[in-house]
Amino acid sequence: MKKIIIVTIIFSFLCCSSHEEVPKELSYSFEYLNEVWDPEDIEFFKNIKENDTTPNDLHFGIGLHLRNNLLRHHAKSDSIVAYFNSLGITHYDYMSGLILYSYHQYLNGEKVYIQDRVNEIIESEKPYKECMKKQIIIGLEKYNRFKINDTINVKMPVSEYNSVVDFSCPNLDWDFNQSKDLSIDGIITEKYFKVDSTEPVIKVKVLDKNHPLTEIMMEEVDVGDEFEVWLQETAWKIKTTGNNGYN
């Protein structure tokens, strides 16, 4: 009888220790997925192999659901996001991916371990973070240099849908193509920071436009109209009229 009690105690201890290996924030996530996913979906996800391309489709399915609900509008959101932030993960896309990665381990009875994947993400993010540090400084320099009533020229890349687009760090370099890209001469009418943000912005009234039918970010903008120019993390080339260099 005594041996049975000892074995039971040891087994209970091992189970508890195994459970404690999973951070509580990931456990919250697993509980959430168990609630919102049908058993058939869980079984399907469990059997996905690492080299299967199916997980890419999850980014806009359950991944998007996790980002909009569990990570933003849930009682445990702050705790889960703080946990990932403590690991150096700040982007919701990566958080949802790590949740699914660890959930797959959990379903298959594997040790829940995400540090190697976290290290890969942090390494891949270095070019972006280095670029953003520079862009924050550049954006503030532009904001302080440009004055209301300055006339400026803005050159912008245009997509195959005949609308201006922008690029993100670290891929901000591009060459202006006169035949398809948009060049606007305008006058600065306002300058401000976005609400609840450090993002500096200028508002520009269009004086001239090299391609009249080209839209800006999928919106019609004609001569006489105003549009916003974000000065931080942008590939748009901006200069005051008479200045030979673009920023």
Side-chain angles (χ1 to χ4, degrees), residues 54 73 78 86-87 115-116 132 134 166 178 198 203:
T54 305
H73 305 292
D78 289 345
S86 73
L87 298 178
Q115 190 58 53
D116 287 345
M132 277 304 301
K134 295 178 182 177
D166 205 351
Q178 177 68 36
T198 59
K203 186 169 283 188

Side-chain angles (χ1 to χ4, degrees), residues 142-203:
K142 292 177 185 176
Y143 184 81
N144 292 328
R145 186 169 68 254
F146 295 149
K147 309 298 181 186
I148 292 177
N149 293 324
D150 278 354
T151 53
I152 65 171
N153 175 263
V154 185
K155 285 182 165 52
M156 297 163 274
V158 174
S159 73
E160 65 270 26
Y161 301 106
N162 199 35
S163 177
V164 164
V165 293
D166 205 351
F167 306 133
S168 299
C169 276
N171 305 306
L172 300 179
D173 292 333
W174 63 287
D175 294 320
F176 178 74
N177 184 335
Q178 177 68 36
S179 66
K180 74 177 188 67
D181 293 326
L182 187 63
S183 175
I184 282 182
D185 292 321
I187 184 169
I188 299 174
T189 58
E190 294 182 57
K191 49 185 291 189
Y192 46 86
F193 289 87
K194 279 294 184 181
V195 178
D196 299 326
S197 170
T198 59
E199 181 80 17
V201 178
I202 57 175
K203 186 169 283 188

